Amino acid sequence: MKITFKQTLLSLSLVTCMTACDVNRLPETNISDMTFWTSESDIKAANNYLYTFLPGFSNEEVWSDDAFGLASNSISDGSRLAPATAADYNSPYNLIRAANNILEKAPRAAVAPAVLNRYLAEAYFFRAWGYFSLVQKYGSVPLILKTLEEGSPELTEAAAPRETVVDQIYMDLDFAVMNLPTITTLGAADYGRISRTAAQAFKARVGLFEGTYGKYHAKGDASKHLNIAAVSSKEVIDSKEHALFGNYFDLFQMAGEGRQNKENIIVKQYGVSSTERVLTHAYYRSSLENGNINPTKSLADSYLMKDGLPLSKSPLWSVPDSSHKVFKNRDLRMSATFMKRGDAMMTTKPIFDIANLVFNKTGYMFRKFANVNDWNTQASVIDRPLLRYAEVLLIYAEATYELKGAITDAELDMSINLLRARGEVAKLTNAFVTANALNMRDEIRRERRVELAQEGFRYWDLIRWKIAEMELVKPVLGNFYFKNEFAAATVNLAPDNVILVQDASFRKFNPARDYLWPLPINEIALNPALKQNAGW
């Protein structure tokens, strides 16, 4: 296997990197590496590289039934083929290699044990992050816990069992929880670095995914993982380190930046202004306004009326005869997530009236992260929230219900109902569910869908709940077709006067194959012991 090396300058330090297919081969190559690991600043600089792997803005929502782009998506409609190479496979292993390198070399530094353990904890956290990304997509994968050389036998070993990889993730996160500072201790100066509650919250995310995946796919010890999710999320709640941000729309604007927003637990940082920036992105103009990601009717219909009832049951709902009435008497989070008449839009069209069907194929347009100045500059520094306290509350509610088959009103009040209050939606109680012939599991899942819409969760929820085979094969529908409002365009309509974006005949999902992703063909060629996932 060919090996290529490159050096990256980061925070005045040299960090040795490698090509994707050789993620764990890291020989001692020069004197500078041997003399680098001497101080806390050296370790911190090396750890800074790990943060570059936190994912930025993307259009991954189109994998799910929540969004559609300018054209069909091969993951969503089941038409993809096994790739030759895949960044989704190689990039996590690059992160894992970098973390392993730090875990091996940071102990050389002359620092106090507590200081060393703090930075080792960051490395353990990021190794866990990398492995969870792999497990979600591929299931069983090679488990590499050290940097490898040319002849290392691990290069030709088979994938480790999924449960073994996940147990390692938990062990890494346990070390992180024990040794990371609290977010209060980090303060404003170190805002954005991984905290103790970040590790606890991420452990809860892993536990919920694995617990529900195990439960609904009949694999492994579901209760073990669900208990981890419930306990870890409750630890975050009990820490009192976090709270919900007051305004849902502002949560995804510059107003929601920084330590003053206690809801954000892990963020991809971009900066605080155009002059004080780390990175920039053009997510609003290149993805939302240009139509690379548009909300669907399926997502729109998930938002409750203010009385807490779905559209099919609420007396507050009637079929709208104009676009702004779609939002009447609805959960306020819908208005914060979807563009509606009167919202600020962009420099060449200051006020939104109706979506442009040439770009926004569904007749809807996302509003989260939309900012007029960012449209103009195409250089936004709005951070991407990767793990919010709202998710922790949702994990606690779902894990509790999935473990016990029930959830108390007190448990709902400390989780789901805090989110509903922000959306000005009636509380969810057991009596309310019974009186209105609702299903508690469905309502908990609905709450997760609307709260985390446009943040990259829906596809993975369909996977772990094993309902992708039911949801992803449905036709993709959009907004009601308001003929007097939309500009002239060729539009296919479903019988109930909603926009038909993609017919069900073009959509498929193979439950024997598509719940796991295909391993890259080149990786299997390089390591014959690595077996392709079933059906690919």
Side-chain angles (χ1 to χ4, degrees), residues 58-88:
S58 74
N59 301 328
E60 292 177 3
E61 204 71 36
V62 299
W63 298 347
S64 76
D65 57 347
D66 273 4
F68 192 85
L70 291 167
S72 61
N73 177 265
S74 63
I75 295 175
S76 174
D77 68 17
S79 63
R80 63 178 160 166
L81 302 173
T85 61
D88 291 295

Side-chain angles (χ1 to χ4, degrees), residues 68 88 99 115 170 284 311 358 370 382 393 404 521-523:
F68 192 85
D88 291 295
V115 173
Y170 290 146
Y284 176 34
L311 308 189
V358 174
I382 295 176
L393 299 180
K404 302 187 300 184
I521 294 171
N522 285 358
E523 295 300 324

Side-chain angles (χ1 to χ4, degrees), residues 204 207-208 225-235 237 395-396 399-400 403:
L208 183 68
H225 299 292
L226 288 170
N227 188 64
I228 286 171
V231 170
S232 296
S233 57
K234 187 63 162 55
E235 288 173 347
I237 294 170
I395 291 171
Y396 175 74
T400 298
L403 270 171

Side-chain angles (χ1 to χ4, degrees), residues 77-331:
D77 68 17
S79 63
R80 63 178 160 166
L81 302 173
T85 61
D88 291 295
Y89 186 85
N90 292 327
S91 182
Y93 274 117
N94 277 333
L95 171 59
I96 291 162
R97 183 220 59 80
N100 285 340
N101 187 46
I102 291 166
L103 293 172
E104 291 173 7
K105 294 178 180 175
R108 299 176 186 173
V111 296
V115 173
L116 173 63
N117 285 340
R118 178 260 177 97
Y119 291 107
L120 293 180
E122 284 190 346
Y124 277 118
F125 172 87
F126 278 102
R127 187 167 74 177
W129 183 280
Y131 271 118
F132 181 60
S133 175
L134 290 165
V135 167
Q136 273 190 308
K137 296 180 177 73
Y138 304 102
S140 299
V141 293
L143 182 60
I144 309 296
L145 301 178
K146 64 179 182 179
T147 56
L148 303 183
E149 299 177 352
E150 181 67 31
S152 296
E154 292 87 349
L155 290 169
T156 54
E157 287 183 354
R162 179 180 187 131
E163 194 76 7
T164 300
V165 180
V166 174
D167 283 344
Q168 183 63 52
I169 290 172
Y170 290 146
M171 285 189 285
D172 286 357
L173 292 175
D174 286 342
F175 186 95
V177 170
M178 289 293 295
N179 292 282
L180 284 169
T182 66
I183 200 164
T184 298
T185 302
L186 286 172
D190 271 337
Y191 173 76
R193 299 198 81 88
I194 300 301
S195 66
R196 180 178 302 162
T197 47
Q200 291 170 322
F202 185 62
K203 185 178 179 183
R205 177 189 286 181
V206 175
L208 183 68
F209 189 92
E210 287 302 295
T212 49
Y213 190 95
K215 181 175 183 177
Y216 293 105
H217 291 259
K219 295 179 183 294
D221 186 350
S223 294
K224 163 190 165 181
H225 299 292
L226 288 170
N227 188 64
I228 286 171
V231 170
S232 296
S233 57
K234 187 63 162 55
E235 288 173 347
V236 178
I237 294 170
D238 291 344
S239 75
K240 308 297 184 184
E241 292 279 345
H242 299 281
L244 296 180
F245 194 65
N247 184 286
Y248 187 78
F249 177 74
D250 284 348
L251 177 59
F252 309 100
Q253 299 290 313
M254 291 301 295
E257 300 280 278
R259 182 66 186 94
Q260 50 87 28
N261 176 4
K262 292 187 176 182
E263 181 163 349
N264 284 341
I265 299 178
I266 303 175
V267 298
K268 173 74 170 183
Q269 288 189 289
Y270 286 85
V272 296
S273 68
S274 59
T275 56
E276 295 182 70
R277 66 193 194 191
V278 180
L279 298 166
T280 64
H281 62 86
Y283 178 62
Y284 176 34
R285 187 163 178 174
S286 64
S287 292
L288 308 187
E289 187 262 322
N290 280 359
N292 284 306
I293 173 174
N294 310 292
T296 62
K297 184 178 188 293
S298 179
L299 174 60
D301 288 353
S302 297
Y303 289 86
L304 296 168
M305 305 303 292
K306 284 186 175 293
D307 60 8
L309 292 173
L311 308 189
S312 60
K313 292 179 178 287
S314 175
L316 298 177
W317 171 254
S318 60
V319 176
D321 56 12
S322 62
S323 60
H324 72 281
K325 291 184 180 178
V326 172
F327 303 92
K328 185 179 179 181
N329 294 320
R330 304 291 290 276
D331 184 333

Side-chain angles (χ1 to χ4, degrees), residues 377-406:
T377 64
Q378 300 186 69
S380 176
V381 292
I382 295 176
D383 292 345
R384 182 188 179 189
L386 295 172
L387 202 163
R388 300 193 278 120
Y389 185 58
E391 183 191 349
V392 173
L393 299 180
L394 291 163
I395 291 171
Y396 175 74
E398 185 180 349
T400 298
Y401 183 85
E402 293 292 351
L403 270 171
K404 302 187 300 184

Side-chain angles (χ1 to χ4, degrees), residues 378-532:
Q378 300 186 69
S380 176
V381 292
I382 295 176
D383 292 345
R384 182 188 179 189
L386 295 172
L387 202 163
R388 300 193 278 120
Y389 185 58
E391 183 191 349
V392 173
L393 299 180
L394 291 163
I395 291 171
Y396 175 74
E398 185 180 349
T400 298
Y401 183 85
E402 293 292 351
L403 270 171
K404 302 187 300 184
I407 185 170
T408 67
D409 287 350
E411 290 165 336
L412 289 169
D413 283 344
M414 64 183 288
S415 56
I416 295 290
N417 286 327
L418 296 177
L419 304 176
R420 287 197 172 203
R422 182 162 61 180
E424 297 184 7
V425 178
K427 289 175 61 173
L428 181 64
T429 67
N430 283 278
F432 184 83
V433 167
T434 301
N436 292 284
L438 300 173
N439 180 289
M440 182 63 79
R441 177 183 286 114
D442 290 345
E443 295 310 304
I444 291 172
R445 290 180 177 184
R446 179 201 304 277
E447 192 64 34
R448 179 179 176 88
R449 185 178 190 180
V450 301
E451 174 66 34
L452 301 178
Q454 201 191 327
E455 297 179 55
F457 291 91
R458 177 63 176 174
Y459 172 80
W460 297 112
D461 290 342
L462 297 177
I463 294 297
R464 64 189 178 89
W465 294 329
K466 204 178 184 298
I467 60 173
E469 63 202 73
M470 295 180 284
E471 300 300 327
L472 292 184
V473 298
K474 294 178 179 178
V476 178
L477 302 175
N479 200 353
F480 294 92
Y481 183 60
F482 304 106
K483 187 174 181 179
N484 295 330
E485 296 185 58
F486 284 113
T490 300
V491 181
N492 293 321
L493 296 178
D496 48 356
N497 194 42
V498 297
I499 298 168
L500 175 61
V501 185
Q502 188 179 30
D503 190 79
S505 61
F506 295 101
R507 301 181 65 79
K508 59 184 178 180
F509 186 93
N510 181 354
R513 183 194 73 173
D514 292 337
Y515 280 109
L516 290 176
W517 285 27
L519 292 165
I521 294 171
N522 285 358
E523 295 300 324
I524 297 172
L526 292 167
N527 178 10
L530 191 62
K531 302 303 180 184
Q532 183 60 280

